[in-house]
Amino acid sequence: MSRLLSRQHLAAVRRSAPFACVSRWLHTPSFATVSPQEVSGSSPAEVQNFVQGSWTASANWNWIVDPLNGDKFIKVAEVQGTEIKSFMESLSKCPKHGLHNPLKAPERYLMYGDISAKAAHMLGQPTVLDFFAKLIQRVSPKSYQQALAEVQVSQKFLENFCGDQVRFLARSFAVPGNHLGQRSNGYRWPYGPVAIITPFNFPLEIPLLQLMGALYMGNKPVLKVDSKVSIVMEQMIRLLHDCGLPAEDMDFINSDGAVMNKLLLEANPKMTLFTGSSRVAEKLAADLKGRVKLEDAGFDWKILGPDVQEVDYVAWVCDQDAYACSGQKCSAQSVLFMHKNWSSSGLLEKMKKLSERRKLEDLTIGPVLTVTTEAMIEHMNNLLKIRGSKVLFGGEPLANHSIPKIYGAMKPTAVFVPLEEILKSGNFELVTKEIFGPFQVVTEYSEDQLELVLEACERMNAHLTAAIVSNDPLFLQDVLGRSVNGTTYAGIRARTTGAPQNHWFGPAGDPRGAGIGTPEAIKLVWSCHREIIYDVGPVPESWALPSAT
Ligand SMILES: NC(=O)c1ccc[n+]([C@@H]2O[C@H](COP(=O)([O-])OP(=O)(O)OC[C@H]3O[C@@H](n4cnc5c(N)ncnc54)[C@H](O)[C@@H]3O)[C@@H](O)[C@H]2O)c1
Ligand SMILES: O=C(O)[C@@H]1CCC=N1
């Protein structure tokens, strides 16, 4: 039973387990209480909560089923509505001026630089990289390379904020005043008690980068990750504790959406970072009276320009952008606007061939955790009712698998819809609906239809990632100047996915838009501006009481 075990118990398990199991446990990192290879229906894992410095269970266990075979393989102690009091108390212990700020406990900025350095070193160990990559694969099935890349981005992020880089996030500025003794200082100030809510598809990267950003700026966060994948962050929190993260600095809650909603309404965090669907994002924005930053849905576009070149490479990037992680990236290529010059280039045939390479055995195609096969087929059939539409490839369920029916299992699919049809008001909402699975819409445009393409992009509601695949500088300049997506790649190698830690990732065009991972994102999301005006005198000897004004 690879349960959540105390260190002593773990040592006993390692002593008593059969050699093969021992060898696996021997390669399990010291902080770990689960083994990715062990977790299964016959050896289920447990996930607990962490509140006010202690790991806790709950009266309610929510069983998570293995996305590959439906076995109950993880049980999560999901906090019930009657059990949120300790989380509320914990958040209430943090004042609005935070656990630290530029004028209070500044040594904590240095502490977090040290924690980042230690965590970066530990996460960079090959066995630890592999541990998290495999654990991610178990709960959010993606290819090993995709899972490893998520861990590597997280590790590089931690490297980025070693040493003085955390205190540099709180860099302030001074402006001279009108008279001696007066000056104004601009500071980045924490919010204090905050909340972080993250989805299932990046079990480590999104929660970790947002958690550390919140802590760096002096906040006290309660973190909630989708229960389907929260085992990953539970293990990462253990790693962070081993690297010096103070036990009282953050809480970790497992719950369903409704209980988390209740906690937010009753604990009143001063800021909530939400990453997930637009439906929930808009609800929370209303419930929390705007005290949110959102990374919500992505309906991400790619425009191929008139200059056809590097067709094999472009086809490969299109395949990766649309179908890696079975299309379950907020940055996934959802619609491809192909200039007509590409129609005779063989691009679509190459994309079809690449999609057919994908197989369940290596998880280059796999379970879809929030859209069923039936829902994807229904969406496809609705698109096929549009005049001139057709399936380019895919369009069928995966075969020969044991993926439970609560999850989707679909071949990589592309549906062609004529551009003029897309723009018709009766079709636009349907065509631009985000399908969080291996599904994309393809269309083409002629030289004189770029305006229609840009109209389509303007009418979309989500402006997360985009790609303009061209090396024509005037074309790039024109499209970039008349679009808004917050993370836009431009050039013949442009992609929509795989954002690393070294550039902004987030939507644009929405004042509630969040970002992740960069200094700009951390400061924008996890701090606010505070101006302190010093006016210490001396009062001039000649001063006399002026008339009232
Ligand atoms: N912008 C980004 O960076 C980004 C990244 C990943 C996923 N996403 C989006 O997330 C969606 C897929 O994830 P999903 O279907 O799990 O999203 P979801 O909104 O259903 O769930 C996201 C998280 O919110 C929690 N939640 C649900 N209802 C809640 C409520 N009322 N109050 C508080 N918390 C609640 C869930 O338990 C989960 O932890 C897609 O739309 C995708 O585009 C966006
Ligand atoms: O490329 C992506 O979709 C991920 C999500 C958050 C940052 N990068």
Side-chain angles (χ1 to χ4, degrees):
M1 174 85 159
S2 65
R3 310 172 40 249
L4 184 67
L5 304 167
S6 68
R7 292 189 190 293
Q8 296 72 14
H9 196 161
L10 205 57
V13 166
R14 286 172 164 155
R15 280 196 299 276
S16 62
F19 178 72
C21 183
V22 168
S23 67
R24 277 196 288 271
W25 276 110
L26 286 176
H27 295 301
T28 303
S30 58
F31 60 83
T33 56
V34 295
S35 160
Q37 295 85 339
E38 288 288 298
V39 179
S40 61
S42 59
S43 179
E46 290 182 6
V47 180
Q48 296 197 333
N49 305 288
F50 189 81
V51 60
Q52 300 193 46
S54 303
W55 290 104
T56 64
S58 161
N60 174 64
W61 291 102
N62 175 19
W63 277 99
I64 308 299
V65 298
D66 187 329
L68 292 179
N69 60 28
D71 290 350
K72 290 182 175 180
F73 76 139
I74 297 173
K75 63 177 185 176
V76 180
E78 284 202 346
V79 171
Q80 300 302 288
T82 54
E83 300 174 306
I84 61 173
K85 187 167 178 292
S86 55
F87 291 91
M88 290 173 61
E89 285 170 358
S90 186
L91 274 186
S92 68
K93 289 179 182 175
C94 179
K96 292 176 186 173
H97 45 80
L99 299 177
H100 60 267
N101 62 54
L103 303 181
K104 178 181 121 175
E107 66 279 358
R108 285 172 52 91
Y109 291 108
L110 305 183
M111 174 185 76
Y112 273 101
D114 290 343
I115 291 168
S116 300
K118 290 178 182 131
H121 177 71
M122 189 176 287
L123 192 56
Q125 304 306 304
T127 53
V128 180
L129 281 166
D130 183 65
F131 168 85
F132 278 105
K134 289 196 168 92
L135 193 57
I136 288 169
Q137 283 191 293
R138 292 295 283 114
V139 292
S140 182
K142 52 184 84 172
S143 70
Y144 186 78
Q145 191 49 48
Q146 286 286 323
L148 183 63
E150 180 178 346
V151 186
Q152 289 168 330
V153 166
S154 303
Q155 194 272 338
K156 284 294 175 193
F157 165 86
L158 291 168
E159 279 185 358
N160 286 347
F161 292 98
C162 297
D164 288 329
Q165 296 310 317
V166 174
R167 83 159 104 197
F168 289 160
L169 290 170
R171 186 189 302 272
S172 57
F173 57 85
V175 176
N178 295 339
H179 48 255
L180 184 61
Q182 187 191 62
R183 73 178 185 281
S184 59
N185 285 67
Y187 291 101
R188 296 309 299 174
W189 219 253
Y191 287 104
V194 297
I196 303 167
I197 302 167
T198 62
F200 73 91
N201 59 337
F202 284 91
L204 181 66
E205 180 181 338
I206 295 176
L208 177 66
L209 272 56
Q210 295 295 8
L211 171 68
M212 297 311 289
L215 291 166
Y216 290 160
M217 299 313 288
N219 302 292
K220 174 171 185 173
V222 58
L223 168 65
K224 185 240 184 278
V225 180
D226 188 307
S227 291
K228 295 191 284 290
V229 302
S230 61
I231 191 170
V232 177
M233 246 348 255
E234 193 249 25
Q235 296 296 306
M236 187 68 209
I237 290 166
R238 292 175 177 279
L239 181 154
L240 290 169
H241 286 156
D242 275 12
C243 293
L245 172 67
E248 303 288 339
D249 275 19
M250 66 151 300
D251 297 320
F252 175 62
I253 184 171
N254 293 288
S255 76
D256 63 20
V259 168
M260 188 61 193
N261 210 133
K262 176 180 166 74
L263 176 61
L264 292 172
L265 290 174
E266 296 187 13
N268 188 26
K270 302 310 164 201
M271 210 293 287
T272 293
L273 178 281
F274 175 79
T275 302
S277 64
S278 296
R279 175 185 64 82
V280 176
E282 293 302 337
K283 179 181 189 309
L284 290 180
D287 285 359
L288 302 179
K289 300 180 175 59
R291 291 192 308 276
V292 294
K293 284 287 184 188
L294 305 176
E295 292 240 42
D296 57 0
F299 190 83
D300 312 296
W301 51 260
K302 180 178 283 179
I303 297 173
L304 304 187
D307 49 319
V308 177
Q309 54 192 297
E310 303 295 352
V311 181
D312 285 334
Y313 183 89
V314 171
W316 172 69
V317 177
C318 283
D319 176 71
Q320 283 291 104
D321 282 345
Y323 305 125
C325 299
S326 300
Q328 297 172 105
K329 292 186 177 185
C330 46
S331 57
Q333 176 177 309
S334 311
V335 59
L336 177 65
F337 296 99
M338 195 174 59
H339 188 284
K340 278 211 164 80
N341 291 350
W342 288 85
S343 302
S344 56
S345 69
L347 174 77
L348 293 179
E349 292 72 21
K350 292 173 187 291
M351 286 169 60
K352 179 175 185 297
K353 278 196 168 42
L354 290 171
S355 74
E356 289 163 353
R357 294 190 306 172
R358 293 182 174 275
K359 52 187 187 303
L360 189 54
E361 291 71 27
D362 61 4
L363 291 176
T364 48
I365 192 68
V368 176
L369 302 195
T370 58
V371 190
T372 61
T373 308
E374 294 71 23
M376 286 185 275
I377 295 285
E378 182 187 4
H379 182 69
M380 179 186 72
N381 289 335
N382 288 335
L383 290 175
L384 294 175
K385 291 173 188 165
I386 297 173
R387 186 151 54 98
S389 63
K390 62 185 175 183
V391 176
L392 294 173
F393 53 82
E396 297 171 0
L398 288 179
N400 307 321
H401 64 81
S402 51
I403 297 170
K405 284 200 171 305
I406 60 167
Y407 296 138
M410 188 83 173
K411 289 181 180 176
T413 296
V415 175
F416 180 86
V417 182
L419 179 57
E420 304 86 339
E421 293 296 324
I422 291 176
L423 289 167
K424 286 181 179 171
S425 55
N427 295 333
F428 189 77
E429 191 172 338
L430 170 69
V431 175
T432 58
K433 177 184 177 188
E434 178 191 35
I435 297 298
F436 213 52
F439 198 104
Q440 68 174 317
V441 170
V442 176
T443 192
E444 62 181 18
Y445 69 98
S446 58
E447 197 68 31
D448 60 354
Q449 287 183 313
L450 180 60
E451 296 309 310
L452 298 182
V453 173
L454 294 175
E455 178 195 336
C457 297
E458 179 77 10
R459 284 168 58 184
M460 292 175 197
N461 294 322
H463 300 291
L464 185 55
T465 72
I468 309 159
V469 181
S470 167
N471 275 354
D472 175 338
L474 296 184
F475 181 82
L476 288 177
Q477 182 173 267
D478 184 16
V479 176
L480 287 168
R482 293 196 283 160
S483 58
V484 70
N485 288 47
T487 303
T488 299
Y489 295 88
I492 198 62
R493 299 185 68 173
R495 61 186 199 262
T496 66
T497 62
Q501 71 294 333
N502 56 283
H503 68 61
W504 166 274
F505 180 92
D510 184 336
R512 307 165 303 177
I516 187 168
T518 61
E520 295 76 20
I522 292 170
K523 286 184 275 188
L524 170 83
V525 174
W526 294 114
S527 70
C528 53
H529 184 86
R530 185 185 187 194
E531 196 83 1
I532 295 177
I533 299 84
Y534 291 91
D535 211 346
V536 300
V539 174
E541 285 178 10
S542 60
W543 183 82
L545 180 65
S547 311
T549 56

